[in-house]
Amino acid sequence: MTRKKRDANHGELKRAAHELGAVWIDTCGDPSIGFDALVAYRGELVAVEVKDGALPPSARELTPTERARADELDWVGVHVVVLKSVSELAELMSVMEATSSPAVPYNALFTG
């Protein structure tokens, strides 16, 4: 399996997510997944595709694999968010915080 090339700002976004209190789970090692990371914050989980904001818009287009996965997830109500900068990440986390619901302990889901 060929590893997916990381965008130049991938590491910066990952570090910023951790500094802002989120969990960043890299998925870019497997191109068949179709997005670069999962970001978890305040009880919310979002699929993220990283694009280098320094590149021209034509170079920030989703690849066919990324588009297919985004369409598949969108069909079931899960959206892939494209991030190009730390400011966009901060804005995403603000929205995640505003829409979060109180966390239910994992074990509570399986006990009567």
Side-chain angles (χ1 to χ4, degrees):
M1 174 185 333
T2 304
R3 289 182 63 88
K4 183 179 173 189
K5 180 181 158 277
R6 289 184 185 198
D7 289 275
N9 55 341
H10 186 104
E12 176 186 26
L13 287 167
K14 181 178 180 176
R15 281 188 300 281
H18 286 290
E19 289 170 4
L20 293 169
V23 173
W24 178 284
I25 303 167
D26 272 319
T27 60
C28 65
D30 183 349
S32 69
I33 292 175
F35 53 87
D36 290 323
L38 292 169
V39 174
Y41 183 67
R42 302 283 174 115
E44 301 293 319
L45 183 67
V46 175
V48 169
E49 175 57 31
V50 175
K51 294 295 181 187
D52 187 345
L55 296 176
S58 61
R60 298 189 308 243
E61 296 288 324
L62 294 178
T63 67
T65 300
E66 293 165 352
R67 171 54 51 208
R69 181 65 73 203
D71 290 346
E72 179 181 34
L73 291 174
D74 190 59
W75 186 70
V76 295
V78 175
H79 304 292
V80 177
V81 176
V82 177
L83 294 179
K84 299 178 292 299
S85 67
V86 171
S87 63
E88 288 181 352
L89 170 66
E91 185 178 336
L92 169 65
M93 291 175 64
S94 178
V95 170
M96 292 170 79
E97 183 169 6
T99 60
S100 69
S101 57
V104 176
Y106 178 74
N107 289 339
L109 299 174
F110 301 102
T111 59

